[in-house]
Amino acid sequence: MTPDPRPQSIAAPATEALLAAVAGNPVAMVNCARTLLLASGQTDRARDICREALALDPGNAEALALARPILSDGIGSWYFTMVLDHRRHALYARALAKLLSNGGVVLDIGAGTGVFAMLAVRAGASHVIACERDPHVARAASEAIARNGFADRITVLPVDSRELQVGRDLAEPADVLLWDNLANNFLGAGCAATLADAAARLVKPGAAVLPGRAELLAAAVTDLEADEHRMGLVDGLDMEAFNLLRGSDFTIARDKFELRSAPAVLFDFDVSGGAPIRPARAQEALTLTAGRVDGIAQWLRFHLGDGLVYDTLDEDVRAFGAQFHVTETFEAAPGTAVRLHGAHDTLDTWFWLER
């Protein structure tokens, strides 16, 4: 029999004894978190031990180097790009100033870094309930909020918003719903179910919603890095059989594709009135320019009220990317007519071209 190469977890009493023995030694504490707790699936406990170790000796570079992979594991890199989207922040600040000119309580769903909650307080919110279901992100947001002097006006709750209860977590339904659990396709982070629940239970009838509307746009495009995303001839060998196994969609930067058609609005999501999002299908006729068509680029245009628009294809956008959807590659002559199709089930989206 071949021996199992995987490390075996140590029994719980022995683990606790070792943790007690290294208490007060930051490097040893982090090493135990890494080798004992992570190995047995106790990720949250491992993170807690790391934080305790760093609190004992904040300047300990070795302990910090060992702790970083544990503390950052599973934390989305998008937090660090979204927080740099200064134009988006400016647009939301203007929209919030309009909505909160007379104060009000804000429910912030998908609070993430806490930036929008703090912008809401700056805009005049009397209090913000910031809901962030990842407890580690929520903890970092709480620390940032306290550092900036907003802890008395922002309550961070590390739970899914569908677990919130009026009378326990909120004194009464909120006046404004601010939500940011968004994906490049609008739906992928589960906003349909979240918004339906919030509208039914957690906000006042007619409460303002920000963002209240988003258009989903798509166009036929040329992938400028197509050779990196598909197989063709490799050293004289035909490898195209593998292309059916490549990823069906991926995020793509604006400078990595060229439009082969004007964009079309396939879906217009209006969530301002609280009506639930339903599965839908749509199609639009496209006229192509000359060139290779590799797929479909899809992006969003948010409407924040009073003419404020945030288009995720704009050059200075950091919070979102266009989503590239693979199609069969073909060469288009000028004026080629195709039909662009889209469908969604309130969570996933699909796009294809019909020639």
Side-chain angles (χ1 to χ4, degrees), residues 33 111 119 157 161 173 190-191 213 243 258 274 285 318 325:
L119 290 178
L157 300 176
S161 66
C191 71
R213 179 182 164 220
N243 286 334
E258 289 180 352
R318 301 293 296 273
H325 298 266

Side-chain angles (χ1 to χ4, degrees), residues 153-277:
R153 285 166 288 174
I154 300 175
T155 301
V156 179
L157 300 176
V159 295
D160 189 298
S161 66
R162 286 169 289 184
E163 299 174 24
L164 296 179
Q165 294 292 330
V166 174
R168 184 190 66 189
D169 305 304
L170 298 85
E172 60 181 4
D175 303 293
V176 174
L177 174 58
L178 172 61
W179 64 287
D180 199 41
N181 52 337
L182 294 164
N184 287 337
N185 69 354
F186 187 80
L187 300 167
C191 71
T194 299
L195 289 175
D197 176 73
R201 300 190 306 111
L202 303 175
V203 299
K204 294 176 181 176
V209 180
L210 185 68
R213 179 182 164 220
E215 295 170 287
L216 186 150
L217 299 94
V221 299
T222 298
D223 177 6
L224 298 178
E225 295 184 336
D227 290 342
E228 298 181 16
H229 301 145
R230 68 181 181 211
M231 294 191 197
L233 287 177
V234 179
D235 296 326
L237 303 171
D238 185 344
M239 302 300 295
E240 289 194 7
F242 271 86
N243 286 334
L244 190 61
L245 305 182
R246 63 178 169 162
S248 60
D249 67 282
F250 51 87
T251 302
I252 189 168
R254 177 64 186 89
D255 61 350
K256 301 302 182 184
F257 65 89
E258 289 180 352
L259 295 177
R260 295 266 71 85
S261 75
V265 176
L266 279 180
F267 301 110
D268 193 337
F269 300 105
D270 189 341
V271 297
S272 59
I277 297 171

Side-chain angles (χ1 to χ4, degrees), residues 79-80 82-83 89 110-116 118 132 137 140-142 144-145:
Y79 292 112
F80 297 87
M82 294 180 81
V83 80
H89 297 160
T113 62
V115 166
F116 280 178
M118 290 186 275
E132 170 51 55
V137 174
S142 295
I145 286 165

